Amino acid sequence: MASVNAIVLPKEFAYPAAAVVSTFYLLLWQAFRVSGARKRAGILYPQVYAEKAEAEAKKEALVFNCTQRAHQNTLELVPTIIGSTLIAGLSYPVLAAGLCGFWTFSRVLYSIGYSTGDPKKRNLAGAAVFSSLSMIGLLGTATTSVVSLIRSL
């Protein structure tokens, strides 16, 4: 009969869990921003983005597209952020929480800059760069955690 091994969570695992919850609030905040921009631009559901001609003719439509894109880009990344934060948190809970929290904060700045209607402003205060560096840090830390778990088999 096979023995059952368990992963014991460090007490500090509460920090990565809290950092992951911060991503939920980020997504909710972005969704509210998209909804408001949609209403101001007059873009009806189920249209995901304003057409190119609409965005060129009407500033509100361009702002909607940029706000929607900031949210969509975050949705594309958040599974990797959540997964890597939880895995990294098994071995490095404080570092994982810090990186995830910093990622969330940088995405707020990214969203504010992008939603001006000028896509070049998405790197407001280095937000896009810091977001990427945080993600790379989480991936590296999660990889180190997994390697350590595998070596302990």
Side-chain angles (χ1 to χ4, degrees), residues 13 16-17 19-20 80-90 96-97 99-100 138 142:
F13 194 78
V20 164
T80 300
I81 296 301
I82 291 173
S84 61
T85 298
L86 295 176
I87 292 168
L90 295 172
L99 288 167
C100 182
L138 281 168

Side-chain angles (χ1 to χ4, degrees), residues 14-24 85 96-101 104:
Y15 300 132
V20 164
V21 169
S22 77
T23 68
F24 305 158
T85 298
L99 288 167
C100 182
T104 300

Side-chain angles (χ1 to χ4, degrees), residues 55-91:
E56 290 172 349
K58 191 173 166 187
K59 174 76 173 174
E60 292 84 2
L62 177 61
V63 167
F64 167 69
N65 280 358
C66 290
T67 305
Q68 174 77 321
R69 184 65 199 127
H71 187 226
Q72 182 63 41
N73 182 255
T74 303
L75 287 168
E76 293 163 3
L77 299 173
V78 84
T80 300
I81 296 301
I82 291 173
S84 61
T85 298
L86 295 176
I87 292 168
L90 295 172
S91 302

Side-chain angles (χ1 to χ4, degrees), residues 4 6-7 40 52 55 57 76 124 143 150:
V4 177
I7 295 175
R40 286 187 296 279
K52 184 177 180 179
E76 293 163 3
L124 177 69
T143 301
I150 291 171

